[in-house]
Amino acid sequence: MNVQPVNEEMRSAAQAALDRKTKPRGSLGRLEELAAQIAAIRGSVAPEPLRAAIVVAAADHGVAAEGVSAYPQEVTGQMLANFASGGAAVSVIARRTGAELVVVDVGVVTPSAVEGVRNARLGPGTANAAAGPAMTRAQALEAIRRGRELAEELSASGFSVVALGDMGIANTTAAAAICCALLERDPVDMAGPGTGLDEHGVAHKAQVITRMLEVNAVDASDPIGVLAALGGFELGLLAGLALATAEMQGVVVLDGFITSTAALVACRIEPHAAGYLVASHLSPEPGHAPLLYSLDLRPLLELGLRLGEGSGAALALPLLAAARDVLVDMATFDEAGVSDTGR
Amino acid sequence: MNVQPVNEEMRSAAQAALDRKTKPRGSLGRLEELAAQIAAIRGSVAPEPLRAAIVVAAADHGVAAEGVSAYPQEVTGQMLANFASGGAAVSVIARRTGAELVVVDVGVVTPSAVEGVRNARLGPGTANAAAGPAMTRAQALEAIRRGRELAEELSASGFSVVALGDMGIANTTAAAAICCALLERDPVDMAGPGTGLDEHGVAHKAQVITRMLEVNAVDASDPIGVLAALGGFELGLLAGLALATAEMQGVVVLDGFITSTAALVACRIEPHAAGYLVASHLSPEPGHAPLLYSLDLRPLLELGLRLGEGSGAALALPLLAAARDVLVDMATFDEAGVSDTGR
């Protein structure tokens, strides 16, 4: 199966429908654009109420050994348990939003035996990408395949929106390296503080990314090769999840820098996938703005969120629901008997 | 009763509590600031789940006779019926958010006999403020009193959040005139397209505002006099609603330019009211940014919304709910057994 372009006729029909609703033309701004995009993705000018799942994919990164994070690697597995038991930010926000939270272990170093964590483990974290490839090409393909499998299951269960979340100590390093490779950017531009590095930490991180790129000699025209070389398991699963969700006309909601990097990989595999993406927010992580720009995406929120785990995507879900409702449930000027003299 | 300053000790205690939650310090950005503000307003580090009412106050403006709107005056009353019967944008978004929608006729020209519209009418619209005062001082005080009365009723019914919404053809003209008077700005800076004026229309509107200010010779140190001279009934009711909600430690959520102007009047009456305000979004209406700046408020959303009727405030309500939940329901590092080594 391939990703089809989103339905531009439905986008236009939705905009025309919005123009008949009881409000001045265009007065709901970006909410109208979002509604029209949802129509284009779902292939309907009156899409069913959206049902959203938030997938938090967690894995560890061998490159953590280079001292690129403020937190130890054991935190990835600990947070996985916290997601599943309902105490993490994304758990709390998902509950409030009525979204289904799906927590996936794609390969943390210290797995937790907590109920509610799905096992999609590809190993106890990736290898250190500053010393060689993070994973084999077969592992990268398998991570993508498992993401596709999950997308199919979610679609079959009636979820029309899939929000991407991530957890993985050192995964901003992996993501920044992938962005450098695919966008041909300098590590100094893409390395950021992540969960809380200081200036020296960020400079060290940029050096580590430079080493990752030198050691692996990746080819920007081979996104799967880039993913395999630089990691991580969760990035691969999220890329596959985005790809197959787009294939099945689902809406893919990005969170921050990591999930947007997974989407970049997906779009390098299938360029039409970009039309199915919604950027929930702009992170202060310095690589996020150029990354979203490269995908031609404008974020909905700008609240200084830099947590990851799908928390920003979860916060944007009510905007998607409202956009769909405005398109489908609002009265037209005719229906409501309101004079329409505006332009 | 007076508006007390918000509780700064609770704000600090909330920030300290947020720092113990399972996330890097400050990584939820402005959501954390919002959570701390809610704690400061409610006077509790663990506030009860928020219950929100959206009050849409509608009235007509005599200054509409000067041709300052793209829509005829009858639309105010027609939209009032649309709010109550559930077809307007704010109706649709309120339903989705689970907020109570309260629709109030403070004086439209053509009232509609639709069920669900509260009668707080002060007359069939204000007089033309370009030819004399929009209303008497007694009417302005009565509008504020009716807003206070509604706030008391909502508080007694358990609503801890009151979102302000407005409807009134020509009310951006009244609001811009009030802002010019209270902020000592030039009409050219504060006049905007409203529901859809072109460049010539905006220039004409600025001339009308200049005339309103000349004819009425208002005194910036007398906010009630300014309100009476320049109008409107709905602005007075919303100012009173904001004031009394603040007195009762409720959260006041602003929508766009009109409701923010009502809040400015409230803050000129009781400066401590400013601490209870949350700016839901930034409107493209040119006066909105300087107005929010003067109130020391930063908007949560910037989506190009320029509809009014409380639609932007309604869209921001899930962010308030999420902020409260993060503060109260998230696990701490200790509770979740997660290593806390970040700064």
Side-chain angles (χ1 to χ4, degrees), chain B residues 138-174:
Chain B
Q139 281 178 310
L141 287 167
E142 178 61 15
I144 290 172
R145 196 194 64 74
R146 291 184 186 186
R148 286 181 169 279
E149 203 171 68
L150 179 54
E152 280 156 24
E153 183 192 325
L154 293 172
S155 177
S157 303
F159 292 103
S160 46
V161 175
V162 176
L164 309 187
D166 72 282
M167 176 71 212
I169 295 303
N171 68 2
T172 55
T173 301

Side-chain angles (χ1 to χ4, degrees), chain A residues 22 24-25 27-28 30 70-72 74 78 82 87 92 96 195-196 301 303 305-306 325 330-331 338-339 341 343, chain B residues 22 24-25 27-28 30 70-72 74 78 82 87 92 96 195-196 301 303 305-306 325 331 338-339 341 343:
Chain A
T22 45
R25 309 277 183 278
S27 60
L28 283 173
R30 296 200 49 216
Y71 285 84
E74 71 206 31
Q78 291 167 346
N82 195 28
V92 163
R96 168 66 58 179
T195 50
L301 302 172
L303 296 171
L305 308 172
R306 52 182 178 81
D325 289 354
M330 262 184 82
V338 175
S339 311
T341 59
R343 290 175 314 146
Chain B
T22 46
R25 308 278 183 279
S27 60
L28 283 173
R30 295 201 48 215
Y71 287 84
E74 71 208 29
Q78 291 167 346
N82 196 27
V92 163
R96 168 65 59 181
T195 50
L301 303 172
L303 296 171
L305 309 171
R306 53 182 177 82
D325 289 355
V338 175
S339 310
T341 59
R343 290 174 312 146

